[in-house]
mmCIF file of all heavy atoms in Angstrom:
data_model
loop_
_atom_site.group_PDB
_atom_site.id
_atom_site.type_symbol
_atom_site.label_atom_id
_atom_site.label_comp_id
_atom_site.label_asym_id
_atom_site.label_seq_id
_atom_site.Cartn_x
_atom_site.Cartn_y
_atom_site.Cartn_z
ATOM 1 N N SER Z 5 12.356 -95.461 39.940
ATOM 2 C CA SER Z 5 12.907 -94.821 41.135
ATOM 3 C C SER Z 5 13.936 -95.714 41.827
ATOM 4 O O SER Z 5 15.001 -95.246 42.235
ATOM 5 C CB SER Z 5 11.801 -94.465 42.131
ATOM 6 O OG SER Z 5 11.010 -93.425 41.616
ATOM 7 N N LYS Z 6 13.630 -96.986 41.967
ATOM 8 C CA LYS Z 6 14.551 -97.913 42.631
ATOM 9 C C LYS Z 6 15.850 -98.034 41.832
ATOM 10 O O LYS Z 6 16.944 -98.057 42.395
ATOM 11 C CB LYS Z 6 13.890 -99.288 42.814
ATOM 12 C CG LYS Z 6 14.801 -100.337 43.405
ATOM 13 C CD LYS Z 6 15.279 -99.979 44.811
ATOM 14 C CE LYS Z 6 16.089 -101.123 45.383
ATOM 15 N NZ LYS Z 6 17.220 -100.692 46.186
ATOM 16 N N ALA Z 7 15.749 -98.110 40.510
ATOM 17 C CA ALA Z 7 16.948 -98.203 39.675
ATOM 18 C C ALA Z 7 17.790 -96.939 39.806
ATOM 19 O O ALA Z 7 19.027 -97.008 39.926
ATOM 20 C CB ALA Z 7 16.555 -98.438 38.216
ATOM 21 N N ILE Z 8 17.142 -95.786 39.807
ATOM 22 C CA ILE Z 8 17.879 -94.522 39.947
ATOM 23 C C ILE Z 8 18.500 -94.430 41.335
ATOM 24 O O ILE Z 8 19.641 -93.978 41.483
ATOM 25 C CB ILE Z 8 16.964 -93.324 39.634
ATOM 26 C CG1 ILE Z 8 16.596 -93.345 38.147
ATOM 27 C CG2 ILE Z 8 17.629 -92.011 40.017
ATOM 28 C CD1 ILE Z 8 15.512 -92.358 37.757
ATOM 29 N N GLN Z 9 17.792 -94.869 42.362
ATOM 30 C CA GLN Z 9 18.368 -94.875 43.719
ATOM 31 C C GLN Z 9 19.627 -95.734 43.763
ATOM 32 O O GLN Z 9 20.646 -95.333 44.339
ATOM 33 C CB GLN Z 9 17.341 -95.389 44.733
ATOM 34 C CG GLN Z 9 16.211 -94.440 44.999
ATOM 35 C CD GLN Z 9 15.084 -95.101 45.783
ATOM 36 O OE1 GLN Z 9 15.258 -96.151 46.406
ATOM 37 N NE2 GLN Z 9 13.909 -94.491 45.741
ATOM 38 N N ASP Z 10 19.587 -96.919 43.142
ATOM 39 C CA ASP Z 10 20.757 -97.797 43.111
ATOM 40 C C ASP Z 10 21.913 -97.144 42.354
ATOM 41 O O ASP Z 10 23.070 -97.229 42.768
ATOM 42 C CB ASP Z 10 20.412 -99.141 42.476
ATOM 43 C CG ASP Z 10 19.578 -100.025 43.392
ATOM 44 O OD1 ASP Z 10 19.367 -99.653 44.572
ATOM 45 O OD2 ASP Z 10 19.124 -101.088 42.924
ATOM 46 N N ALA Z 11 21.595 -96.488 41.236
ATOM 47 C CA ALA Z 11 22.635 -95.823 40.444
ATOM 48 C C ALA Z 11 23.269 -94.681 41.226
ATOM 49 O O ALA Z 11 24.492 -94.514 41.221
ATOM 50 C CB ALA Z 11 22.048 -95.316 39.129
ATOM 51 N N VAL Z 12 22.458 -93.905 41.919
ATOM 52 C CA VAL Z 12 22.984 -92.792 42.724
ATOM 53 C C VAL Z 12 23.824 -93.328 43.882
ATOM 54 O O VAL Z 12 24.895 -92.793 44.181
ATOM 55 C CB VAL Z 12 21.832 -91.882 43.221
ATOM 56 C CG1 VAL Z 12 22.332 -90.893 44.265
ATOM 57 C CG2 VAL Z 12 21.199 -91.155 42.044
ATOM 58 N N THR Z 13 23.384 -94.391 44.505
ATOM 59 C CA THR Z 13 24.172 -95.001 45.586
ATOM 60 C C THR Z 13 25.524 -95.460 45.075
ATOM 61 O O THR Z 13 26.558 -95.227 45.707
ATOM 62 C CB THR Z 13 23.401 -96.184 46.205
ATOM 63 O OG1 THR Z 13 22.176 -95.693 46.752
ATOM 64 C CG2 THR Z 13 24.204 -96.868 47.292
ATOM 65 N N SER Z 14 25.542 -96.094 43.916
ATOM 66 C CA SER Z 14 26.791 -96.544 43.310
ATOM 67 C C SER Z 14 27.712 -95.362 43.016
ATOM 68 O O SER Z 14 28.910 -95.394 43.293
ATOM 69 C CB SER Z 14 26.495 -97.326 42.031
ATOM 70 O OG SER Z 14 27.690 -97.715 41.411
ATOM 71 N N PHE Z 15 27.155 -94.294 42.466
ATOM 72 C CA PHE Z 15 27.916 -93.086 42.162
ATOM 73 C C PHE Z 15 28.521 -92.491 43.432
ATOM 74 O O PHE Z 15 29.707 -92.156 43.477
ATOM 75 C CB PHE Z 15 27.009 -92.058 41.474
ATOM 76 C CG PHE Z 15 27.641 -90.717 41.285
ATOM 77 C CD1 PHE Z 15 28.555 -90.500 40.265
ATOM 78 C CD2 PHE Z 15 27.320 -89.663 42.123
ATOM 79 C CE1 PHE Z 15 29.146 -89.257 40.091
ATOM 80 C CE2 PHE Z 15 27.901 -88.423 41.957
ATOM 81 C CZ PHE Z 15 28.813 -88.211 40.940
ATOM 82 N N ILE Z 16 27.725 -92.379 44.478
ATOM 83 C CA ILE Z 16 28.200 -91.813 45.744
ATOM 84 C C ILE Z 16 29.329 -92.672 46.314
ATOM 85 O O ILE Z 16 30.361 -92.159 46.740
ATOM 86 C CB ILE Z 16 27.043 -91.670 46.758
ATOM 87 C CG1 ILE Z 16 26.106 -90.548 46.305
ATOM 88 C CG2 ILE Z 16 27.565 -91.416 48.168
ATOM 89 C CD1 ILE Z 16 24.790 -90.498 47.066
ATOM 90 N N ASN Z 17 29.146 -93.984 46.324
ATOM 91 C CA ASN Z 17 30.177 -94.879 46.857
ATOM 92 C C ASN Z 17 31.476 -94.765 46.079
ATOM 93 O O ASN Z 17 32.564 -94.708 46.662
ATOM 94 C CB ASN Z 17 29.687 -96.323 46.878
ATOM 95 C CG ASN Z 17 28.630 -96.553 47.922
ATOM 96 O OD1 ASN Z 17 28.538 -95.824 48.907
ATOM 97 N ND2 ASN Z 17 27.812 -97.561 47.714
ATOM 98 N N GLU Z 18 31.392 -94.730 44.738
ATOM 99 C CA GLU Z 18 32.591 -94.618 43.913
ATOM 100 C C GLU Z 18 33.307 -93.296 44.169
ATOM 101 O O GLU Z 18 34.524 -93.256 44.323
ATOM 102 C CB GLU Z 18 32.221 -94.731 42.431
ATOM 103 C CG GLU Z 18 33.423 -94.630 41.519
ATOM 104 C CD GLU Z 18 33.061 -94.773 40.052
ATOM 105 O OE1 GLU Z 18 32.063 -95.445 39.731
ATOM 106 O OE2 GLU Z 18 33.783 -94.209 39.237
ATOM 107 N N GLN Z 19 32.543 -92.215 44.245
ATOM 108 C CA GLN Z 19 33.150 -90.901 44.454
ATOM 109 C C GLN Z 19 33.767 -90.787 45.845
ATOM 110 O O GLN Z 19 34.857 -90.239 46.000
ATOM 111 C CB GLN Z 19 32.121 -89.785 44.232
ATOM 112 C CG GLN Z 19 31.665 -89.668 42.793
ATOM 113 C CD GLN Z 19 32.814 -89.485 41.835
ATOM 114 O OE1 GLN Z 19 33.671 -88.632 42.017
ATOM 115 N NE2 GLN Z 19 32.854 -90.290 40.792
ATOM 116 N N ARG Z 20 33.091 -91.318 46.848
ATOM 117 C CA ARG Z 20 33.645 -91.270 48.205
ATOM 118 C C ARG Z 20 34.941 -92.063 48.284
ATOM 119 O O ARG Z 20 35.901 -91.628 48.903
ATOM 120 C CB ARG Z 20 32.637 -91.813 49.210
ATOM 121 C CG ARG Z 20 31.549 -90.837 49.520
ATOM 122 C CD ARG Z 20 30.614 -91.363 50.576
ATOM 123 N NE ARG Z 20 29.635 -90.348 50.918
ATOM 124 C CZ ARG Z 20 28.502 -90.602 51.520
ATOM 125 N NH1 ARG Z 20 28.189 -91.833 51.866
ATOM 126 N NH2 ARG Z 20 27.671 -89.622 51.797
ATOM 127 N N LEU Z 21 34.964 -93.230 47.652
ATOM 128 C CA LEU Z 21 36.174 -94.039 47.649
ATOM 129 C C LEU Z 21 37.313 -93.283 46.966
ATOM 130 O O LEU Z 21 38.415 -93.190 47.494
ATOM 131 C CB LEU Z 21 35.922 -95.370 46.943
ATOM 132 C CG LEU Z 21 37.113 -96.322 46.865
ATOM 133 C CD1 LEU Z 21 37.571 -96.723 48.260
ATOM 134 C CD2 LEU Z 21 36.759 -97.545 46.055
ATOM 135 N N LEU Z 22 37.034 -92.704 45.811
ATOM 136 C CA LEU Z 22 38.053 -91.957 45.090
ATOM 137 C C LEU Z 22 38.522 -90.753 45.900
ATOM 138 O O LEU Z 22 39.712 -90.455 45.957
ATOM 139 C CB LEU Z 22 37.508 -91.502 43.725
ATOM 140 C CG LEU Z 22 38.475 -90.717 42.836
ATOM 141 C CD1 LEU Z 22 39.701 -91.561 42.481
ATOM 142 C CD2 LEU Z 22 37.779 -90.241 41.581
ATOM 143 N N HIS Z 23 37.611 -90.050 46.546
ATOM 144 C CA HIS Z 23 37.965 -88.830 47.272
ATOM 145 C C HIS Z 23 38.684 -89.090 48.588
ATOM 146 O O HIS Z 23 39.360 -88.212 49.096
ATOM 147 C CB HIS Z 23 36.718 -87.980 47.518
ATOM 148 C CG HIS Z 23 36.277 -87.282 46.288
ATOM 149 N ND1 HIS Z 23 35.530 -87.904 45.315
ATOM 150 C CD2 HIS Z 23 36.504 -86.030 45.832
ATOM 151 C CE1 HIS Z 23 35.313 -87.058 44.339
ATOM 152 N NE2 HIS Z 23 35.885 -85.929 44.619
ATOM 153 N N ARG Z 24 38.566 -90.277 49.119
ATOM 154 C CA ARG Z 24 39.212 -90.578 50.398
ATOM 155 C C ARG Z 24 40.560 -91.275 50.236
ATOM 156 O O ARG Z 24 41.263 -91.486 51.206
ATOM 157 C CB ARG Z 24 38.278 -91.414 51.260
ATOM 158 C CG ARG Z 24 37.077 -90.598 51.703
ATOM 159 C CD ARG Z 24 36.141 -91.395 52.568
ATOM 160 N NE ARG Z 24 35.015 -90.539 52.947
ATOM 161 C CZ ARG Z 24 33.804 -90.969 53.157
ATOM 162 N NH1 ARG Z 24 33.526 -92.241 53.045
ATOM 163 N NH2 ARG Z 24 32.842 -90.137 53.493
ATOM 164 N N GLN Z 25 40.913 -91.599 49.010
ATOM 165 C CA GLN Z 25 42.179 -92.281 48.758
ATOM 166 C C GLN Z 25 43.338 -91.306 48.985
ATOM 167 O O GLN Z 25 43.246 -90.134 48.640
ATOM 168 C CB GLN Z 25 42.230 -92.801 47.323
ATOM 169 C CG GLN Z 25 41.137 -93.772 46.996
ATOM 170 C CD GLN Z 25 41.638 -95.188 46.840
ATOM 171 O OE1 GLN Z 25 42.813 -95.454 46.874
ATOM 172 N NE2 GLN Z 25 40.717 -96.090 46.656
ATOM 173 N N THR Z 26 44.430 -91.814 49.536
ATOM 174 C CA THR Z 26 45.648 -91.024 49.704
ATOM 175 C C THR Z 26 46.838 -91.901 49.345
ATOM 176 O O THR Z 26 46.718 -93.124 49.263
ATOM 177 C CB THR Z 26 45.814 -90.528 51.159
ATOM 178 O OG1 THR Z 26 45.861 -91.658 52.034
ATOM 179 C CG2 THR Z 26 44.685 -89.594 51.572
ATOM 180 N N GLY Z 27 47.979 -91.272 49.126
ATOM 181 C CA GLY Z 27 49.203 -92.008 48.838
ATOM 182 C C GLY Z 27 49.320 -92.385 47.383
ATOM 183 O O GLY Z 27 48.606 -91.882 46.519
ATOM 184 N N LYS Z 28 50.234 -93.291 47.099
ATOM 185 C CA LYS Z 28 50.506 -93.723 45.730
ATOM 186 C C LYS Z 28 49.475 -94.766 45.300
ATOM 187 O O LYS Z 28 49.223 -95.734 46.010
ATOM 188 C CB LYS Z 28 51.915 -94.309 45.615
ATOM 189 C CG LYS Z 28 53.003 -93.308 45.926
ATOM 190 C CD LYS Z 28 53.010 -92.204 44.903
ATOM 191 C CE LYS Z 28 54.119 -91.211 45.220
ATOM 192 N NZ LYS Z 28 54.001 -89.982 44.461
ATOM 193 N N LYS Z 29 48.896 -94.558 44.134
ATOM 194 C CA LYS Z 29 47.859 -95.431 43.594
ATOM 195 C C LYS Z 29 48.135 -95.695 42.123
ATOM 196 O O LYS Z 29 48.921 -95.000 41.485
ATOM 197 C CB LYS Z 29 46.475 -94.780 43.717
ATOM 198 C CG LYS Z 29 46.102 -94.353 45.119
ATOM 199 C CD LYS Z 29 45.921 -95.522 46.032
ATOM 200 C CE LYS Z 29 45.596 -95.041 47.438
ATOM 201 N NZ LYS Z 29 45.659 -96.089 48.396
ATOM 202 N N ALA Z 30 47.448 -96.687 41.582
ATOM 203 C CA ALA Z 30 47.486 -96.974 40.155
ATOM 204 C C ALA Z 30 46.082 -97.379 39.748
ATOM 205 O O ALA Z 30 45.269 -97.789 40.584
ATOM 206 C CB ALA Z 30 48.475 -98.101 39.850
ATOM 207 N N GLY Z 31 45.800 -97.245 38.476
ATOM 208 C CA GLY Z 31 44.479 -97.643 38.021
ATOM 209 C C GLY Z 31 44.178 -97.161 36.624
ATOM 210 O O GLY Z 31 45.077 -96.791 35.869
ATOM 211 N N VAL Z 32 42.884 -97.152 36.317
ATOM 212 C CA VAL Z 32 42.418 -96.753 34.993
ATOM 213 C C VAL Z 32 41.196 -95.849 35.152
ATOM 214 O O VAL Z 32 40.297 -96.148 35.937
ATOM 215 C CB VAL Z 32 42.036 -97.981 34.142
ATOM 216 C CG1 VAL Z 32 41.541 -97.555 32.765
ATOM 217 C CG2 VAL Z 32 43.199 -98.939 34.010
ATOM 218 N N LEU Z 33 41.184 -94.773 34.390
ATOM 219 C CA LEU Z 33 40.009 -93.921 34.262
ATOM 220 C C LEU Z 33 39.428 -94.210 32.886
ATOM 221 O O LEU Z 33 40.132 -94.085 31.878
ATOM 222 C CB LEU Z 33 40.389 -92.444 34.369
ATOM 223 C CG LEU Z 33 41.168 -92.023 35.608
ATOM 224 C CD1 LEU Z 33 41.565 -90.562 35.503
ATOM 225 C CD2 LEU Z 33 40.377 -92.288 36.869
ATOM 226 N N VAL Z 34 38.179 -94.630 32.828
ATOM 227 C CA VAL Z 34 37.539 -94.965 31.563
ATOM 228 C C VAL Z 34 36.408 -93.965 31.331
ATOM 229 O O VAL Z 34 35.538 -93.811 32.182
ATOM 230 C CB VAL Z 34 36.990 -96.409 31.564
ATOM 231 C CG1 VAL Z 34 36.293 -96.715 30.245
ATOM 232 C CG2 VAL Z 34 38.106 -97.399 31.831
ATOM 233 N N MET Z 35 36.467 -93.317 30.185
ATOM 234 C CA MET Z 35 35.550 -92.226 29.908
ATOM 235 C C MET Z 35 34.909 -92.404 28.535
ATOM 236 O O MET Z 35 35.573 -92.799 27.578
ATOM 237 C CB MET Z 35 36.362 -90.932 29.971
ATOM 238 C CG MET Z 35 35.813 -89.728 29.337
ATOM 239 S SD MET Z 35 36.912 -88.298 29.508
ATOM 240 C CE MET Z 35 38.420 -88.862 28.746
ATOM 241 N N VAL Z 36 33.609 -92.101 28.455
ATOM 242 C CA VAL Z 36 32.901 -92.048 27.178
ATOM 243 C C VAL Z 36 32.468 -90.604 26.986
ATOM 244 O O VAL Z 36 31.920 -89.987 27.905
ATOM 245 C CB VAL Z 36 31.666 -92.981 27.166
ATOM 246 C CG1 VAL Z 36 30.864 -92.803 25.883
ATOM 247 C CG2 VAL Z 36 32.088 -94.428 27.348
ATOM 248 N N TYR Z 37 32.750 -90.083 25.789
ATOM 249 C CA TYR Z 37 32.389 -88.688 25.540
ATOM 250 C C TYR Z 37 31.939 -88.475 24.101
ATOM 251 O O TYR Z 37 32.206 -89.289 23.226
ATOM 252 C CB TYR Z 37 33.535 -87.745 25.896
ATOM 253 C CG TYR Z 37 34.772 -87.888 25.042
ATOM 254 C CD1 TYR Z 37 34.940 -87.119 23.890
ATOM 255 C CD2 TYR Z 37 35.786 -88.768 25.399
ATOM 256 C CE1 TYR Z 37 36.083 -87.237 23.117
ATOM 257 C CE2 TYR Z 37 36.931 -88.889 24.638
ATOM 258 C CZ TYR Z 37 37.071 -88.115 23.498
ATOM 259 O OH TYR Z 37 38.195 -88.231 22.726
ATOM 260 N N ASP Z 38 31.251 -87.356 23.906
ATOM 261 C CA ASP Z 38 30.743 -86.955 22.600
ATOM 262 C C ASP Z 38 31.769 -86.034 21.957
ATOM 263 O O ASP Z 38 31.900 -84.876 22.351
ATOM 264 C CB ASP Z 38 29.396 -86.248 22.768
ATOM 265 C CG ASP Z 38 28.771 -85.790 21.460
ATOM 266 O OD1 ASP Z 38 29.478 -85.757 20.424
ATOM 267 O OD2 ASP Z 38 27.574 -85.454 21.481
ATOM 268 N N HIS Z 39 32.501 -86.538 20.986
ATOM 269 C CA HIS Z 39 33.590 -85.748 20.415
ATOM 270 C C HIS Z 39 33.092 -84.617 19.513
ATOM 271 O O HIS Z 39 33.872 -83.767 19.085
ATOM 272 C CB HIS Z 39 34.587 -86.640 19.656
ATOM 273 C CG HIS Z 39 34.144 -87.036 18.288
ATOM 274 N ND1 HIS Z 39 34.436 -86.288 17.170
ATOM 275 C CD2 HIS Z 39 33.412 -88.080 17.859
ATOM 276 C CE1 HIS Z 39 33.917 -86.880 16.108
ATOM 277 N NE2 HIS Z 39 33.292 -87.966 16.506
ATOM 278 N N THR Z 40 31.775 -84.551 19.266
ATOM 279 C CA THR Z 40 31.248 -83.459 18.448
ATOM 280 C C THR Z 40 31.017 -82.178 19.255
ATOM 281 O O THR Z 40 30.721 -81.133 18.670
ATOM 282 C CB THR Z 40 29.929 -83.861 17.746
ATOM 283 O OG1 THR Z 40 28.916 -84.086 18.734
ATOM 284 C CG2 THR Z 40 30.124 -85.108 16.886
ATOM 285 N N ILE Z 41 31.160 -82.263 20.570
ATOM 286 C CA ILE Z 41 31.016 -81.065 21.416
ATOM 287 C C ILE Z 41 32.232 -80.167 21.186
ATOM 288 O O ILE Z 41 33.371 -80.585 21.412
ATOM 289 C CB ILE Z 41 30.892 -81.434 22.914
ATOM 290 C CG1 ILE Z 41 29.688 -82.342 23.157
ATOM 291 C CG2 ILE Z 41 30.843 -80.189 23.781
ATOM 292 C CD1 ILE Z 41 28.347 -81.721 22.887
ATOM 293 N N LYS Z 42 31.980 -78.960 20.734
ATOM 294 C CA LYS Z 42 33.049 -78.027 20.375
ATOM 295 C C LYS Z 42 33.994 -77.779 21.555
ATOM 296 O O LYS Z 42 33.569 -77.435 22.645
ATOM 297 C CB LYS Z 42 32.447 -76.706 19.899
ATOM 298 C CG LYS Z 42 33.472 -75.733 19.389
ATOM 299 C CD LYS Z 42 32.833 -74.485 18.837
ATOM 300 C CE LYS Z 42 33.935 -73.525 18.492
ATOM 301 N NZ LYS Z 42 33.870 -72.970 17.203
ATOM 302 N N GLY Z 43 35.279 -77.996 21.309
ATOM 303 C CA GLY Z 43 36.309 -77.718 22.293
ATOM 304 C C GLY Z 43 36.561 -78.825 23.306
ATOM 305 O O GLY Z 43 37.524 -78.751 24.067
ATOM 306 N N LEU Z 44 35.705 -79.842 23.321
ATOM 307 C CA LEU Z 44 35.844 -80.886 24.334
ATOM 308 C C LEU Z 44 37.154 -81.649 24.202
ATOM 309 O O LEU Z 44 37.883 -81.820 25.187
ATOM 310 C CB LEU Z 44 34.661 -81.860 24.297
ATOM 311 C CG LEU Z 44 34.740 -83.052 25.256
ATOM 312 C CD1 LEU Z 44 34.878 -82.588 26.707
ATOM 313 C CD2 LEU Z 44 33.536 -83.957 25.090
ATOM 314 N N GLU Z 45 37.473 -82.118 23.004
ATOM 315 C CA GLU Z 45 38.709 -82.896 22.834
ATOM 316 C C GLU Z 45 39.937 -82.068 23.205
ATOM 317 O O GLU Z 45 40.861 -82.584 23.854
ATOM 318 C CB GLU Z 45 38.818 -83.443 21.417
ATOM 319 C CG GLU Z 45 37.839 -84.562 21.170
ATOM 320 C CD GLU Z 45 37.953 -85.145 19.772
ATOM 321 O OE1 GLU Z 45 37.931 -84.381 18.793
ATOM 322 O OE2 GLU Z 45 38.058 -86.386 19.689
ATOM 323 N N ASP Z 46 39.956 -80.800 22.823
ATOM 324 C CA ASP Z 46 41.082 -79.932 23.191
ATOM 325 C C ASP Z 46 41.202 -79.811 24.706
ATOM 326 O O ASP Z 46 42.309 -79.862 25.265
ATOM 327 C CB ASP Z 46 40.924 -78.535 22.570
ATOM 328 C CG ASP Z 46 41.118 -78.534 21.067
ATOM 329 O OD1 ASP Z 46 41.744 -79.480 20.534
ATOM 330 O OD2 ASP Z 46 40.631 -77.589 20.424
ATOM 331 N N ASP Z 47 40.058 -79.651 25.386
ATOM 332 C CA ASP Z 47 40.077 -79.549 26.850
ATOM 333 C C ASP Z 47 40.576 -80.836 27.495
ATOM 334 O O ASP Z 47 41.383 -80.806 28.428
ATOM 335 C CB ASP Z 47 38.691 -79.210 27.395
ATOM 336 C CG ASP Z 47 38.293 -77.764 27.125
ATOM 337 O OD1 ASP Z 47 39.155 -76.966 26.711
ATOM 338 O OD2 ASP Z 47 37.101 -77.448 27.332
ATOM 339 N N LEU Z 48 40.116 -81.987 26.992
ATOM 340 C CA LEU Z 48 40.539 -83.267 27.560
ATOM 341 C C LEU Z 48 42.040 -83.463 27.378
ATOM 342 O O LEU Z 48 42.732 -83.922 28.301
ATOM 343 C CB LEU Z 48 39.761 -84.423 26.929
ATOM 344 C CG LEU Z 48 38.258 -84.449 27.234
ATOM 345 C CD1 LEU Z 48 37.576 -85.554 26.448
ATOM 346 C CD2 LEU Z 48 37.985 -84.580 28.718
ATOM 347 N N ILE Z 49 42.551 -83.099 26.216
ATOM 348 C CA ILE Z 49 44.000 -83.205 25.981
ATOM 349 C C ILE Z 49 44.751 -82.260 26.911
ATOM 350 O O ILE Z 49 45.782 -82.629 27.490
ATOM 351 C CB ILE Z 49 44.324 -82.924 24.497
ATOM 352 C CG1 ILE Z 49 43.816 -84.083 23.639
ATOM 353 C CG2 ILE Z 49 45.827 -82.718 24.293
ATOM 354 C CD1 ILE Z 49 43.844 -83.808 22.147
ATOM 355 N N GLU Z 50 44.234 -81.061 27.092
ATOM 356 C CA GLU Z 50 44.878 -80.097 27.998
ATOM 357 C C GLU Z 50 44.915 -80.635 29.433
ATOM 358 O O GLU Z 50 45.938 -80.536 30.108
ATOM 359 C CB GLU Z 50 44.134 -78.761 27.953
ATOM 360 C CG GLU Z 50 44.760 -77.674 28.799
ATOM 361 C CD GLU Z 50 46.145 -77.257 28.338
ATOM 362 O OE1 GLU Z 50 46.436 -77.354 27.130
ATOM 363 O OE2 GLU Z 50 46.948 -76.846 29.195
#
């Protein structure tokens, strides 16, 4: 429970920071995905 609480807190903080940003920014989005999911790669490219 404590580990999940910490993970959820981290998620909330990251999302709030991202959602409150305005103006010109730079950075990196790093994503891990299962490429065997039908249509996923096409959607990501789109």
Side-chain angles (χ1 to χ4, degrees):
S5 291
K6 176 62 175 143
I8 293 170
Q9 289 168 18
D10 286 353
V12 169
T13 299
S14 178
F15 172 78
I16 289 168
N17 289 336
E18 180 179 332
Q19 293 305 309
R20 283 183 176 161
L21 180 62
L22 181 61
H23 285 81
R24 292 181 180 148
Q25 300 251 354
T26 59
K28 297 295 181 193
K29 305 293 178 191
V32 180
L33 306 175
V34 178
M35 161 180 58
V36 174
Y37 65 91
D38 180 345
H39 79 90
T40 65
I41 301 295
K42 185 176 174 130
L44 176 58
E45 288 181 309
D46 290 339
D47 287 349
L48 294 174
I49 290 169
E50 183 64 29

